[in-house]
Amino acid sequence: MNGRYPPKNVLGQLAIVLHAHLPYVRKNEINSLEEDWLFQAILECYIPLLQSIESSKKENPENTKLTISLSPTLLSLLNNIQIQETFPSWIKTRNDFLNELPLKEKNASAFLIKNLNDKYLYWENCSGNLIEKFKVLNNSGNLDILTCAATHGYLPILRENPETIKGQINTAIRSHENIFETKPLGIWLPECAYYEGLDEILFNSGIRYTILDGHGILNSTPRPRYGVYAPICSKKGVAFFGRDSESTLPVWSAKEGFPGDKVYREFHKDLGWELPLSKLQKKGISTKRPLGLKFHKITDENISLGEKEFYLENEAKNKAAEHADAYLLARSKQLEKLTLSSSFKPLLVAPFDAELFGHWWYEGPFFIENILKNSNKYSIKLTNLKEFLIQKPNLQICDPSPSSWGQGGYHNYWINDANAWIVPEITKAGSTFVDLCLENFNNDLSLRLFNQAARELLLSESSDWSFILRAGTTTELAKERIERHLFRFWKLVEMIKNHSNINFKFLEDIEEEDNVFPNINIDDWRK
């Protein structure tokens, strides 16, 4: 490991990595559950994180460093004009609900009304173009923005047809380059899932680094000299960073970590569950569901939701600042123990789902802001993965181990009794499409059919639906999504094989509805 970087007075480095992803929301899906997922993430996570990073950059520009992956489907949504035009009315609906509350509840939710308006003002000031905000921070080096697989496909279950994996990765790279005007060097593997040989596909696509769960590094061959505290490099030339569980547990765990503190906002008590259905329906919301309107605190995890006390924002912010200091102090002590010699400066890699910060843990962005602003006090150099590799450290050559960061550490969460039926369905579709792509396209209509079939195949491969089926939440929605995209895929395949029977109305409708990846290239699926 190169001893010139970071400076000698620094104990080591900390790389916080955030993974931001949401599944594709089809056109005209207004007032849907999927639209709520997106808008709540924009309001509670993406805007607050941008504000925190920008605020820290003003005070501590050299140590304001984060890595963030923005999945291609999420970028397509943030770049969608219809969504940008719909967000204001979504905000107004929630403001209306809060302003119509009885006086006691309205006073308790005053902080929420203020925050709604504050985040909407930020949105208005950038004309809804959050991507440009991320781009500025990427260009300044404060952010290292990674790509992800195109539709967050779980790559190990696609390995029977390597071309389908190439389709996922190369579509993502092309989408990222189209938006950010630069090719990504790093990728977030969906669910940090890795299998032997994937590094060769990554390298050939131009990817040079990614992140695995800790055991993906620790079980490498040979066993890494520095464990997860330094990246390794595969024989194919891809660097792998390993998750440090000690750096993530205090944030991941609601029971053992910070997010479960009694002064923080209670996630499960939402006004959407408490308002009469008739009132929701007047605003175009057809079913009871969370609205993102929460103004009670955890209070005590053992009491019922009905007994939760009102949330006090200043109390929670003070606690988040305390927790940020406690986190930095613990990392400082950890780095001090790990510093084996003056020539070794350990690196702690702490990856999280971005939506944890703000959506699941409402105070999360404020916690991040305090980490960014105060890390210097604890002799910790914040870095991002690209910046670390630019220093040209000497990396040990190892073959990483198959792994994931899902429950059980491997692939069983995506191959089990609840969702294993998906695997043969998408495998068959992938094989058929790869074989079809061997043909030459003889006209623009053929290419149009192939392009849309590729989109439907990618959308059917999304790991979100497998995850939902295993978790047992909105399972009907997940099943419907998979079956819809596969039905459309096979209908398009039928048209490709039988040019005399083209249903142009069907083609036009799904082109409009599943309008994603405009620069899709069928060559990505060719052997």
Side-chain angles (χ1 to χ4, degrees):
M1 180 67 66
N2 188 326
R4 295 169 297 168
Y5 185 85
K8 287 185 177 179
N9 63 331
V10 169
L11 294 169
Q13 299 178 81
L14 171 64
I16 295 174
V17 184
L18 305 180
H19 170 51
H21 164 67
L22 283 174
Y24 183 67
V25 180
R26 60 185 175 174
K27 187 172 181 182
N28 300 323
E29 211 156 32
I30 296 171
N31 278 333
S32 67
L33 180 61
E34 297 96 310
E35 184 190 75
D36 276 358
W37 290 345
L38 172 63
F39 287 158
Q40 287 182 31
I42 288 173
L43 178 72
E44 297 173 340
C45 176
Y46 308 143
I47 290 177
L49 280 173
L50 281 167
Q51 289 177 316
S52 293
I53 297 165
E54 289 169 349
S55 174
S56 175
K57 182 185 174 185
K58 292 176 183 176
E59 293 185 25
N60 190 15
E62 294 304 315
N63 229 26
T64 296
K65 303 283 184 178
L66 282 174
T67 303
I68 187 167
S69 72
L70 300 172
S71 77
T73 49
L74 174 60
L75 287 171
S76 74
L77 298 174
L78 295 178
N79 208 29
N80 185 296
I81 298 299
Q82 177 187 302
I83 284 170
Q84 292 176 5
E85 291 175 346
T86 306
F87 186 60
S89 63
W90 187 90
I91 290 286
K92 182 181 182 303
T93 297
R94 276 136 189 86
N95 260 324
D96 288 345
F97 283 133
L98 292 174
N99 283 311
E100 293 167 5
L101 287 171
L103 184 60
K104 187 178 178 182
E105 284 78 10
K106 185 177 178 181
N107 288 340
S109 65
F111 79 95
L112 196 51
I113 296 172
K114 177 181 175 295
N115 288 342
L116 279 170
N117 293 330
D118 172 66
K119 302 303 178 280
Y120 181 60
L121 180 61
Y122 185 93
W123 173 272
E124 274 198 321
N125 287 340
C126 67
S127 302
N129 190 351
L130 299 185
I131 289 176
E132 185 61 31
K133 292 284 191 177
F134 282 113
K135 187 187 295 186
V136 168
L137 292 166
N138 189 56
N139 292 341
S140 68
N142 296 102
L143 282 184
D144 172 21
I145 299 182
L146 314 182
T147 188
C148 184
T151 58
H152 212 266
Y154 192 79
L155 302 183
I157 66 175
L158 302 177
R159 64 186 296 183
E160 186 171 322
N161 299 299
E163 288 74 23
T164 62
I165 293 175
K166 294 175 187 175
Q168 280 277 350
I169 292 169
N170 290 323
T171 301
I173 291 171
R174 189 173 292 107
S175 176
H176 184 102
E177 185 177 17
N178 184 48
I179 290 172
F180 290 108
E181 300 172 341
T182 181
K183 282 189 175 181
L185 294 175
I187 191 169
W188 178 278
L189 298 175
E191 313 302 342
C192 296
Y194 181 77
Y195 68 89
E196 307 99 323
L198 179 56
D199 57 333
E200 183 173 6
I201 295 176
L202 295 175
F203 185 86
N204 291 339
S205 297
I207 295 298
R208 295 295 178 264
Y209 57 95
T210 187
I211 306 103
L212 299 182
D213 205 324
H215 60 291
I217 301 295
L218 294 174
N219 295 333
S220 295
T221 307
R223 188 173 175 86
R225 183 181 303 110
Y226 297 123
V228 297
Y229 306 117
I232 61 172
C233 185
S234 74
K235 293 185 181 73
K236 298 299 182 181
V238 178
F240 290 84
F241 293 82
R243 181 179 77 91
D244 171 42
S245 59
E246 197 174 337
S247 298
T248 54
L249 184 64
V251 178
W252 265 128
S253 174
K255 289 186 177 180
E256 300 176 48
F258 304 137
D261 194 281
K262 64 181 181 180
V263 305
Y264 288 145
R265 196 175 75 157
E266 171 62 61
F267 176 80
H268 297 286
K269 186 171 174 61
D270 189 290
L271 190 61
W273 297 119
E274 299 170 3
L275 289 174
L277 180 58
S278 59
K279 197 162 191 173
L280 296 173
Q281 290 173 335
K282 286 180 182 178
K283 298 289 186 181
I285 301 169
S286 58
T287 60
K288 284 202 168 195
R289 62 170 185 259
L291 298 173
L293 303 179
K294 314 170 200 290
F295 47 92
H296 291 76
K297 58 184 176 180
I298 293 172
T299 313
D300 189 322
E301 63 177 10
N302 297 318
I303 69 171
S304 68
L305 290 179
E307 296 176 297
K308 300 289 184 180
E309 297 174 9
F310 287 133
Y311 179 78
L312 300 175
E313 186 178 41
N314 288 338
E315 178 185 43
K317 281 189 170 183
N318 289 337
K319 183 59 68 174
E322 287 178 25
H323 281 155
D325 280 331
Y327 181 84
L328 287 169
L329 179 60
R331 302 290 72 71
S332 178
K333 291 180 178 179
Q334 182 185 5
L335 288 168
E336 191 171 14
K337 289 180 181 178
L338 290 168
T339 303
L340 305 178
S341 70
S342 59
S343 64
F344 175 71
K345 297 290 185 182
L347 171 69
L348 305 177
V349 178
F352 305 97
D353 281 327
E355 291 78 19
L356 168 66
F357 298 92
H359 179 60
W360 297 102
W361 180 21
Y362 186 65
E363 299 76 16
F366 191 69
F367 172 85
I368 289 284
E369 184 175 338
N370 278 270
I371 295 289
L372 296 175
K373 288 180 177 179
N374 297 321
S375 56
N376 289 339
K377 299 176 185 177
Y378 295 88
S379 300
I380 297 171
K381 169 74 175 76
L382 293 183
T383 189
N384 54 50
L385 305 187
K386 183 178 181 180
E387 179 186 67
F388 184 90
L389 292 175
I390 284 174
Q391 307 304 316
K392 298 183 179 179
N394 297 319
L395 304 185
Q396 185 178 353
I397 304 299
C398 302
D399 291 323
S401 171
S403 52
S404 83
W405 77 344
Q407 187 181 63
Y410 293 94
H411 309 315
N412 59 304
Y413 203 89
W414 290 270
I415 309 176
N416 53 71
D417 291 345
N419 57 28
W421 63 270
I422 298 169
V423 180
E425 295 291 335
I426 59 177
T427 300
K428 180 182 176 184
S431 297
T432 299
F433 190 67
V434 170
D435 290 343
L436 281 175
C437 285
L438 295 174
E439 300 179 9
N440 292 318
F441 311 120
N442 50 26
N443 54 47
D444 290 343
L445 176 59
S446 292
L447 183 58
R448 186 177 162 191
L449 290 167
F450 268 93
N451 284 345
Q452 195 57 38
R455 293 185 183 101
E456 300 302 334
L457 177 63
L458 287 170
L459 290 167
S460 73
E461 292 169 347
S462 169
S463 69
D464 298 277
W465 313 128
S466 295
F467 182 89
I468 288 172
L469 288 171
R470 172 62 179 82
T473 51
T474 51
T475 54
E476 287 304 313
L477 168 65
K479 188 171 183 290
E480 187 273 332
R481 275 303 176 91
I482 298 164
E483 291 177 342
R484 183 206 309 161
H485 293 305
L486 285 173
F487 170 80
R488 292 176 175 184
F489 170 81
W490 289 113
K491 189 82 172 173
L492 290 163
V493 168
E494 184 182 329
M495 292 186 212
I496 289 169
K497 291 180 175 179
N498 184 7
H499 284 292
S500 62
N501 188 23
I502 305 297
N503 185 335
F504 285 97
K505 178 67 166 61
F506 172 81
L507 177 59
E508 289 166 4
D509 285 348
I510 64 172
E511 282 178 327
E512 182 182 18
E513 192 170 276
D514 294 335
N515 182 20
V516 65
F517 309 132
N519 296 323
I520 204 161
N521 190 329
I522 304 308
D523 287 341
D524 294 334
W525 282 266
R526 285 181 160 166
K527 295 180 180 179

